[in-house]
Every structure is written in structure tokens, then in C-alpha cells.
Amino acid sequence: MKTKLLILSATLGFVISPALCAEGPHDHGHGHSHAKKTAGPNGGRVITSVKPRLEFFVTPGRKVKITFLGEDGQAIAPADQVVTAVGGDRSKPARLVFSKADGSLISDKPLPEGNMIPIVLQIKVAPGAKTVNEKFMVNLADCSECDHKEYACTCEH
């Protein structure tokens, strides 16, 4: 009797489960759609949690270049924004300070060695404004599917 009950339960589970799990056009239960990722004008990662948005770009010399973006996605000159960053190994973190140069903000020193650098970017868009923290991994490997580094990848992988 117990065996028949187990078989019946398992069979009903297989029959009912697909009907309960059908979500329609696969929104994966998030209730929202994801916008297509775009890179900034230099090919860097676009940060959208602040206005104006900004691009985080690692130069060939491993310095970080912050470029503020207008509504059209084009570079605009920095105003009173203050950006700092802390990255690398927790036991010996690199602290980056930014200064204005050529219409952007450039870090005072390069990122630490390695291709996987955790970073905390701190952004204050105006005096008296709340500081916004952005935490992400700066993966300097080349993406196999697009023309960007992994940290700024625009693919859906």
C-alpha cells in the first residue's frame, strides 16, 4: 500500500509541476525586464545608480578614468562630484583619489596587480549629497564575445 501511495504521489508531482511552474514568457519571477547593457564612450562600465551617470574605465596604465555622461550617453565635464575608490586585497587595500584631467576624473595611482580586483567606488554627486557606494569586481580579462573587458562586458552571458 505504501509503495502504491509513493508511486501515485510521484506521478501526480510530475503531472502537476509543469503547470505550476509555467511563467509565460520566462521573466524568471523577477517581475521586470533587464535593459540591454551598454558600454560608455571609452568602452568602460556604465554606473547608473547616480545622476549624472558615469563610466568607470581602466586605462592601459591601469589608472581609473571616471567620465560623467549626459542623457545622450556622451561625455560631460565633471562639476562638483567627488569620487574615491578602495580596491584590491583587504589586508593591503589601494585607496584611489581622483582629480580632474581632460574632461574626466583620473585616479592618482593605478589599480593593484592582478586581473580580478574587488572595488568599492564612492560617489558624491554634489556637496551635501549622500555618498553612493558601488561594489563590483573589476575583471580585466578580455570578453570572448564582445570587444570589452569583462568588467564592462555588454554580452548576455
Side-chain angles (χ1 to χ4, degrees), residues 1 9 13 20 24 33-34 44-45 49-50 55 65 74-75 83 90 110 114 128 130 146-147 151 154:
M1 182 68 177
S9 296
L20 292 175
S33 61
H34 294 275
R45 178 187 192 122
S49 59
V50 294
E55 175 191 33
K65 179 179 182 179
Q74 297 302 309
V83 178
R90 284 185 174 204
K130 183 179 177 184
C146 68
D147 294 331
Y151 78 91
T154 58

Side-chain angles (χ1 to χ4, degrees), residues 26-98:
H26 284 300
D27 68 359
H28 301 287
H30 296 300
H32 65 275
S33 61
H34 294 275
K36 183 178 182 327
K37 293 191 268 182
T38 58
N42 299 301
R45 178 187 192 122
V46 176
I47 307 294
T48 60
S49 59
V50 294
K51 294 284 184 193
R53 295 173 300 152
L54 62 90
E55 175 191 33
F56 176 96
F57 176 72
V58 180
T59 68
R62 297 182 66 97
K63 287 195 174 187
V64 176
K65 179 179 182 179
I66 302 292
T67 303
F68 291 94
L69 307 173
E71 291 298 320
D72 60 356
Q74 297 302 309
I76 59 173
D80 295 331
Q81 297 96 337
V82 176
V83 178
T84 59
V86 178
D89 188 11
R90 284 185 174 204
S91 64
K92 189 179 174 188
R95 300 188 189 286
L96 307 179
V97 178
F98 294 83

